[in-house]
Amino acid sequence: MIVLGLETSCDETAAALVDGDRNILAEVVLSQFEEHRPYGGVVPEIAARGHLDHIDRLTAEVMKRAALPFDAIDGVAATTGPGLIGGVIVGVMTAKAIAAVHRKPFLAVNHLEGHALTARLTDDVAFPYLLLLVSGGHCQILAVEGVGQYRRLGTTIDDAAGEAFDKVAKMLGLGYPGGPAVQAAAKAGDAARFPFPRPMKGRPGCDFSFSGLKTSVRQMVEKLPPGPLSDHDKADLAAGFQAAVVDSIADRVKRALRDFRGSAFVVAGGVAANSALRARLTALSAEAGLPFIAPPLRLCTDNAAMIAWAGLEHLRLGRTDPLDTRPRPRWPLDPEAPKSRGAGAVKA
Ligand code: KG4
Ligand code: ZN
Protein backbone atom coordinates (compact mmCIF):
# COMPACT_ATOMS: atom_id res chain seq x y z
CA MET A 1 0.00 0.00 0.00
CA ILE A 2 1.42 3.40 -1.03
CA VAL A 3 -0.03 6.80 -0.15
CA LEU A 4 0.88 10.25 -1.44
CA GLY A 5 0.55 12.99 1.18
CA LEU A 6 0.45 16.80 0.83
CA GLU A 7 0.93 19.37 3.60
CA THR A 8 0.13 23.07 3.05
CA SER A 9 -1.55 24.22 6.27
CA CYS A 10 1.05 26.70 7.51
CA ASP A 11 4.37 27.83 6.07
CA GLU A 12 5.80 24.57 4.76
CA THR A 13 4.85 23.21 1.34
CA ALA A 14 5.50 19.47 1.47
CA ALA A 15 4.85 16.25 -0.43
CA ALA A 16 5.76 12.66 0.48
CA LEU A 17 5.14 9.03 -0.39
CA VAL A 18 5.01 6.36 2.31
CA ASP A 19 4.24 2.65 2.20
CA GLY A 20 2.53 0.20 4.55
CA ASP A 21 5.90 -1.13 5.75
CA ARG A 22 6.65 2.28 7.29
CA ASN A 23 9.08 3.32 4.55
CA ILE A 24 9.24 6.92 3.41
CA LEU A 25 9.73 6.38 -0.33
CA ALA A 26 10.33 10.08 -1.06
CA GLU A 27 9.77 13.39 0.71
CA VAL A 28 10.31 17.09 0.08
CA VAL A 29 9.69 20.03 2.38
CA LEU A 30 9.97 23.59 1.14
CA SER A 31 10.04 26.13 3.94
CA GLN A 32 8.74 29.63 3.26
CA PHE A 33 10.88 30.94 6.03
CA GLU A 34 12.58 33.69 4.02
CA GLU A 35 9.28 35.03 2.64
CA HIS A 36 7.88 35.52 6.15
CA ARG A 37 11.05 36.58 7.95
CA PRO A 38 10.66 40.34 7.28
CA TYR A 39 7.27 40.20 9.08
CA GLY A 40 8.50 38.21 12.10
CA GLY A 41 5.73 35.62 11.61
CA VAL A 42 3.62 33.79 9.03
CA VAL A 43 1.53 36.01 6.71
CA PRO A 44 -1.45 33.88 5.56
CA GLU A 45 -1.84 35.34 2.06
CA ILE A 46 1.88 35.07 1.31
CA ALA A 47 1.76 31.48 2.57
CA ALA A 48 -1.17 30.54 0.31
CA ARG A 49 0.49 32.04 -2.76
CA GLY A 50 3.71 30.21 -1.96
CA HIS A 51 1.89 26.86 -1.73
CA LEU A 52 0.18 27.53 -5.05
CA ASP A 53 3.52 28.34 -6.71
CA HIS A 54 5.22 25.12 -5.58
CA ILE A 55 2.79 22.29 -4.85
CA ASP A 56 2.60 20.86 -8.41
CA ARG A 57 6.36 20.87 -8.83
CA LEU A 58 6.97 19.26 -5.41
CA THR A 59 4.36 16.57 -6.06
CA ALA A 60 6.00 15.74 -9.41
CA GLU A 61 9.37 15.73 -7.63
CA VAL A 62 8.43 13.03 -5.08
CA MET A 63 6.86 10.85 -7.80
CA LYS A 64 10.09 11.18 -9.78
CA ARG A 65 12.33 10.44 -6.79
CA ALA A 66 10.35 7.31 -5.97
CA ALA A 67 10.23 6.44 -9.69
CA LEU A 68 6.50 5.77 -9.44
CA PRO A 69 3.61 6.59 -11.77
CA PHE A 70 0.38 7.88 -10.14
CA ASP A 71 -1.21 4.55 -11.02
CA ALA A 72 1.07 2.81 -8.52
CA ILE A 73 -0.34 4.68 -5.52
CA ASP A 74 -3.35 3.58 -3.49
CA GLY A 75 -4.59 6.89 -2.11
CA VAL A 76 -3.97 10.64 -1.95
CA ALA A 77 -3.98 12.35 1.44
CA ALA A 78 -3.97 16.08 2.17
CA THR A 79 -4.05 18.17 5.32
CA THR A 80 -7.70 19.24 5.34
CA GLY A 81 -7.43 21.32 8.53
CA PRO A 82 -6.86 22.84 10.98
CA GLY A 83 -4.75 25.58 9.45
CA LEU A 84 -4.60 28.73 7.40
CA ILE A 85 -7.51 28.29 5.03
CA GLY A 86 -5.86 29.60 1.83
CA GLY A 87 -3.04 27.09 2.13
CA VAL A 88 -5.30 24.22 3.15
CA ILE A 89 -7.46 24.79 0.04
CA VAL A 90 -4.37 24.58 -2.20
CA GLY A 91 -3.34 21.18 -0.82
CA VAL A 92 -6.85 19.75 -0.70
CA MET A 93 -7.70 20.79 -4.27
CA THR A 94 -4.42 19.39 -5.59
CA ALA A 95 -4.97 16.06 -3.83
CA LYS A 96 -8.58 15.83 -4.99
CA ALA A 97 -7.57 16.55 -8.59
CA ILE A 98 -4.96 13.78 -8.55
CA ALA A 99 -7.43 11.42 -6.86
CA ALA A 100 -10.17 12.20 -9.39
CA VAL A 101 -7.98 11.88 -12.48
CA HIS A 102 -6.34 8.64 -11.39
CA ARG A 103 -9.43 7.18 -9.70
CA LYS A 104 -7.77 6.83 -6.30
CA PRO A 105 -9.37 7.41 -2.91
CA PHE A 106 -9.00 10.86 -1.33
CA LEU A 107 -7.98 10.90 2.33
CA ALA A 108 -8.80 13.98 4.43
CA VAL A 109 -6.21 14.20 7.19
CA ASN A 110 -6.32 16.34 10.31
CA HIS A 111 -2.91 18.01 10.63
CA LEU A 112 -2.80 17.27 14.36
CA GLU A 113 -3.52 13.62 13.64
CA GLY A 114 -0.49 13.65 11.35
CA HIS A 115 1.66 14.78 14.28
CA ALA A 116 -0.09 12.33 16.61
CA LEU A 117 0.54 9.23 14.47
CA THR A 118 4.13 10.01 13.40
CA ALA A 119 5.57 7.85 16.20
CA ARG A 120 3.89 4.84 14.59
CA LEU A 121 5.65 5.59 11.29
CA THR A 122 9.05 6.10 12.92
CA ASP A 123 8.93 3.71 15.90
CA ASP A 124 5.92 1.44 15.38
CA VAL A 125 4.53 2.56 18.75
CA ALA A 126 1.46 0.61 19.91
CA PHE A 127 -1.74 2.31 21.09
CA PRO A 128 -2.37 3.79 23.58
CA TYR A 129 0.42 6.32 24.10
CA LEU A 130 0.72 9.78 25.55
CA LEU A 131 1.67 12.62 23.19
CA LEU A 132 3.00 16.08 23.97
CA LEU A 133 2.63 18.25 20.88
CA VAL A 134 4.55 21.51 21.20
CA SER A 135 5.07 23.73 18.17
CA GLY A 136 4.54 27.28 16.96
CA GLY A 137 0.86 26.57 16.46
CA HIS A 138 -0.06 23.84 18.91
CA CYS A 139 0.46 22.97 22.52
CA GLN A 140 -1.51 19.94 23.59
CA ILE A 141 -1.29 16.74 25.60
CA LEU A 142 -3.21 13.90 23.96
CA ALA A 143 -3.92 10.31 24.85
CA VAL A 144 -3.61 8.59 21.46
CA GLU A 145 -5.86 5.56 21.84
CA GLY A 146 -6.35 4.45 18.23
CA VAL A 147 -6.70 5.81 14.70
CA GLY A 148 -9.38 8.49 15.07
CA GLN A 149 -9.45 8.06 18.85
CA TYR A 150 -7.79 10.97 20.59
CA ARG A 151 -8.49 12.25 24.07
CA ARG A 152 -7.22 15.76 24.73
CA LEU A 153 -5.95 16.00 28.28
CA GLY A 154 -4.70 19.56 28.01
CA THR A 155 -4.27 22.46 25.63
CA THR A 156 -3.09 26.04 25.78
CA ILE A 157 -5.58 28.63 26.92
CA ASP A 158 -3.67 31.37 25.05
CA ASP A 159 -0.37 31.11 23.17
CA ALA A 160 1.40 27.98 21.94
CA ALA A 161 4.83 27.29 23.45
CA GLY A 162 6.68 27.99 20.18
CA GLU A 163 4.69 31.17 19.71
CA ALA A 164 5.89 32.34 23.13
CA PHE A 165 9.51 31.56 22.16
CA ASP A 166 9.04 33.50 18.92
CA LYS A 167 7.47 36.53 20.62
CA VAL A 168 10.09 36.67 23.37
CA ALA A 169 12.86 36.39 20.78
CA LYS A 170 11.35 39.35 18.95
CA MET A 171 11.20 41.34 22.21
CA LEU A 172 14.87 40.60 22.91
CA GLY A 173 15.90 41.34 19.32
CA LEU A 174 17.08 37.78 18.74
CA GLY A 175 15.45 37.18 15.34
CA TYR A 176 12.97 34.75 13.80
CA PRO A 177 12.20 31.89 14.33
CA GLY A 178 12.75 32.53 17.98
CA GLY A 179 13.11 29.08 19.55
CA PRO A 180 16.63 28.25 18.38
CA ALA A 181 17.76 31.86 19.01
CA VAL A 182 16.43 31.87 22.59
CA GLN A 183 18.03 28.50 23.26
CA ALA A 184 21.39 29.75 21.96
CA ALA A 185 21.24 32.98 23.98
CA ALA A 186 20.14 31.09 27.11
CA LYS A 187 23.32 29.02 27.08
CA ALA A 188 25.41 31.84 28.50
CA GLY A 189 22.66 33.16 30.78
CA ASP A 190 21.83 32.95 34.47
CA ALA A 191 18.31 31.50 34.71
CA ALA A 192 17.99 32.59 38.36
CA ARG A 193 18.53 36.34 37.84
CA PHE A 194 14.96 37.13 36.78
CA PRO A 195 12.24 35.40 38.82
CA PHE A 196 9.75 34.50 36.08
CA PRO A 197 6.43 32.85 36.98
CA ARG A 198 5.74 29.17 36.22
CA PRO A 199 2.34 29.43 34.51
CA MET A 200 -0.30 26.86 35.60
CA LYS A 201 2.15 25.06 37.92
CA GLY A 202 0.25 23.05 40.51
CA ARG A 203 -3.14 23.78 38.93
CA PRO A 204 -5.58 20.92 38.34
CA GLY A 205 -5.82 19.55 34.79
CA CYS A 206 -3.12 19.65 32.14
CA ASP A 207 -3.78 22.96 30.36
CA PHE A 208 -1.01 25.38 29.42
CA SER A 209 -0.69 29.15 29.40
CA PHE A 210 2.22 31.26 28.16
CA SER A 211 0.77 34.69 27.65
CA GLY A 212 1.38 35.91 31.24
CA LEU A 213 4.97 34.71 31.10
CA LYS A 214 5.51 36.64 27.88
CA THR A 215 4.09 39.76 29.55
CA SER A 216 6.35 39.33 32.51
CA VAL A 217 9.39 39.17 30.20
CA ARG A 218 8.24 42.47 28.70
CA GLN A 219 7.82 44.04 32.14
CA MET A 220 11.27 42.84 33.18
CA VAL A 221 12.77 44.41 30.03
CA GLU A 222 11.00 47.71 30.79
CA LYS A 223 12.50 47.77 34.28
CA LEU A 224 16.05 47.61 32.89
CA PRO A 225 17.87 50.87 32.10
CA PRO A 226 16.59 52.38 28.81
CA GLY A 227 18.53 51.75 25.58
CA PRO A 228 19.47 48.56 23.75
CA LEU A 229 19.71 45.40 25.86
CA SER A 230 23.22 44.16 26.54
CA ASP A 231 24.12 40.62 25.44
CA HIS A 232 24.46 39.81 29.11
CA ASP A 233 20.87 40.92 29.87
CA LYS A 234 19.56 39.13 26.80
CA ALA A 235 21.23 35.90 27.88
CA ASP A 236 19.81 36.10 31.43
CA LEU A 237 16.32 36.94 30.17
CA ALA A 238 16.43 34.10 27.61
CA ALA A 239 17.68 31.62 30.21
CA GLY A 240 15.06 32.67 32.77
CA PHE A 241 12.24 32.50 30.22
CA GLN A 242 13.35 29.10 28.88
CA ALA A 243 13.61 27.67 32.39
CA ALA A 244 10.08 28.91 33.16
CA VAL A 245 8.66 27.33 29.99
CA VAL A 246 10.39 24.03 30.68
CA ASP A 247 9.19 23.98 34.33
CA SER A 248 5.66 24.81 33.29
CA ILE A 249 5.49 22.14 30.56
CA ALA A 250 7.13 19.59 32.87
CA ASP A 251 4.52 20.21 35.56
CA ARG A 252 1.67 19.63 33.08
CA VAL A 253 3.30 16.51 31.60
CA LYS A 254 3.96 15.09 35.04
CA ARG A 255 0.27 15.35 35.88
CA ALA A 256 -0.71 13.68 32.61
CA LEU A 257 1.79 10.85 33.12
CA ARG A 258 0.61 10.24 36.67
CA ASP A 259 -2.76 8.92 35.53
CA PHE A 260 -1.72 7.43 32.19
CA ARG A 261 -1.37 3.71 31.39
CA GLY A 262 0.07 3.00 27.94
CA SER A 263 3.07 2.00 25.87
CA ALA A 264 5.14 5.19 25.56
CA PHE A 265 5.50 8.93 26.00
CA VAL A 266 5.95 10.67 22.65
CA VAL A 267 6.92 14.25 21.86
CA ALA A 268 6.30 16.10 18.57
CA GLY A 269 6.48 19.65 17.21
CA GLY A 270 9.30 22.12 16.62
CA VAL A 271 9.76 23.01 20.31
CA ALA A 272 10.75 19.38 20.89
CA ALA A 273 14.11 20.50 19.44
CA ASN A 274 14.77 22.42 22.66
CA SER A 275 17.51 20.55 24.49
CA ALA A 276 16.53 21.74 27.98
CA LEU A 277 12.96 20.58 27.40
CA ARG A 278 14.10 17.28 25.92
CA ALA A 279 16.32 16.54 28.91
CA ARG A 280 13.47 17.22 31.34
CA LEU A 281 10.96 15.12 29.37
CA THR A 282 13.42 12.23 29.14
CA ALA A 283 13.75 12.26 32.94
CA LEU A 284 9.97 12.48 33.51
CA SER A 285 9.36 9.58 31.15
CA ALA A 286 11.94 7.44 32.93
CA GLU A 287 10.34 8.26 36.30
CA ALA A 288 6.99 7.13 34.89
CA GLY A 289 8.61 3.91 33.57
CA LEU A 290 7.68 4.65 29.96
CA PRO A 291 9.94 4.67 26.90
CA PHE A 292 10.52 8.23 25.64
CA ILE A 293 10.04 8.53 21.89
CA ALA A 294 11.18 11.65 20.06
CA PRO A 295 10.92 11.20 16.29
CA PRO A 296 13.75 12.78 14.25
CA LEU A 297 13.32 16.53 14.14
CA ARG A 298 12.41 16.74 10.45
CA LEU A 299 9.41 14.50 11.22
CA CYS A 300 8.56 16.41 14.44
CA THR A 301 8.13 19.66 12.53
CA ASP A 302 5.59 20.13 9.73
CA ASN A 303 6.11 17.64 6.90
CA ALA A 304 4.10 15.56 4.44
CA ALA A 305 5.30 12.09 5.46
CA MET A 306 3.14 12.37 8.58
CA ILE A 307 0.13 13.29 6.43
CA ALA A 308 0.73 10.42 4.01
CA TRP A 309 1.14 8.05 6.96
CA ALA A 310 -2.07 9.18 8.70
CA GLY A 311 -3.85 8.77 5.33
CA LEU A 312 -2.43 5.27 5.05
CA GLU A 313 -3.66 4.39 8.54
CA HIS A 314 -7.15 5.51 7.46
CA LEU A 315 -6.96 3.67 4.15
CA ARG A 316 -6.01 0.34 5.67
CA LEU A 317 -9.05 0.61 7.93
CA GLY A 318 -11.18 1.27 4.83
CA ARG A 319 -11.83 4.90 5.76
CA THR A 320 -11.78 7.18 2.71
CA ASP A 321 -13.36 10.58 2.10
CA PRO A 322 -15.63 11.89 -0.65
CA LEU A 323 -14.37 14.46 -3.15
CA ASP A 324 -16.78 17.06 -1.80
CA THR A 325 -15.12 17.00 1.64
CA ARG A 326 -14.68 20.62 2.76
CA PRO A 327 -11.47 22.06 4.20
CA ARG A 328 -11.83 22.76 7.91
CA PRO A 329 -9.81 25.74 9.22
CA ARG A 330 -10.85 24.65 12.71
CA TRP A 331 -10.90 20.94 13.37
CA PRO A 332 -10.33 19.74 16.93
CA LEU A 333 -8.92 16.22 17.18
CA ASP A 334 -11.06 15.45 20.19
CA PRO A 335 -14.59 16.75 19.55
CA GLU A 336 -15.54 15.97 23.16
CA ALA A 337 -12.90 18.32 24.58
CA PRO A 338 -14.11 21.73 25.72
CA LYS A 339 -13.64 24.49 23.12
CA SER A 340 -10.41 26.40 23.58
CA ARG A 341 -9.40 29.84 22.46
CA GLY A 342 -5.81 28.62 22.43
CA ALA A 343 -3.48 28.63 19.49
CA GLY A 344 -3.67 24.86 18.99
CA ALA A 345 -7.33 25.21 18.07
CA VAL A 346 -6.81 27.91 15.49
CA LYS A 347 -3.74 27.37 13.35
CA ALA A 348 -1.48 24.51 12.48
O1 KG4 B 1 6.48 22.34 14.37
P1 KG4 B 1 7.03 23.61 13.83
O2 KG4 B 1 8.15 23.54 12.84
O3 KG4 B 1 5.93 24.46 13.11
C1 KG4 B 1 4.66 24.67 13.57
O4 KG4 B 1 4.53 25.66 14.33
O5 KG4 B 1 3.75 23.92 13.23
O6 KG4 B 1 7.47 24.46 15.09
C2 KG4 B 1 8.08 25.71 14.95
C3 KG4 B 1 8.24 26.29 16.33
C4 KG4 B 1 8.67 27.75 16.29
O7 KG4 B 1 7.83 28.49 17.14
C5 KG4 B 1 10.10 27.69 16.80
O8 KG4 B 1 10.50 28.88 17.45
C6 KG4 B 1 10.04 26.52 17.74
O9 KG4 B 1 9.21 25.58 17.08
N1 KG4 B 1 11.38 25.96 17.98
C7 KG4 B 1 11.98 25.94 19.19
C8 KG4 B 1 13.28 25.39 18.98
N2 KG4 B 1 13.40 25.08 17.66
C9 KG4 B 1 12.22 25.42 17.05
N3 KG4 B 1 11.56 26.36 20.39
C10 KG4 B 1 12.41 26.22 21.42
N4 KG4 B 1 13.67 25.72 21.31
C11 KG4 B 1 14.14 25.30 20.11
N5 KG4 B 1 15.38 24.81 20.02
ZN1 ZN C 1 2.19 21.25 12.82
Side-chain angles (χ1 to χ4, degrees), residues 1 7 28 40 43 50 125 133 144 154 166 181 236 264 340 348:
M1 195 176 267
E7 159 61 38
V28 284
V43 182
V125 178
L133 178 53
V144 182
D166 293 337
D236 291 349
S340 157

Side-chain angles (χ1 to χ4, degrees), residues 7 9-10 111-112 115 133 135 137-138 269 300-303 306 348:
E7 159 61 38
S9 66
C10 194
H111 178 89
L112 301 169
H115 282 300
L133 178 53
S135 72
H138 354 277
C300 269
T301 57
D302 287 352
N303 67 87
M306 70 179 191

Side-chain angles (χ1 to χ4, degrees), residues 6-25:
L6 305 180
E7 159 61 38
T8 57
S9 66
C10 194
D11 59 344
E12 262 92 28
T13 317
L17 285 159
V18 303
D19 73 13
D21 294 325
R22 302 174 27 240
N23 298 304
I24 299 174
L25 304 178

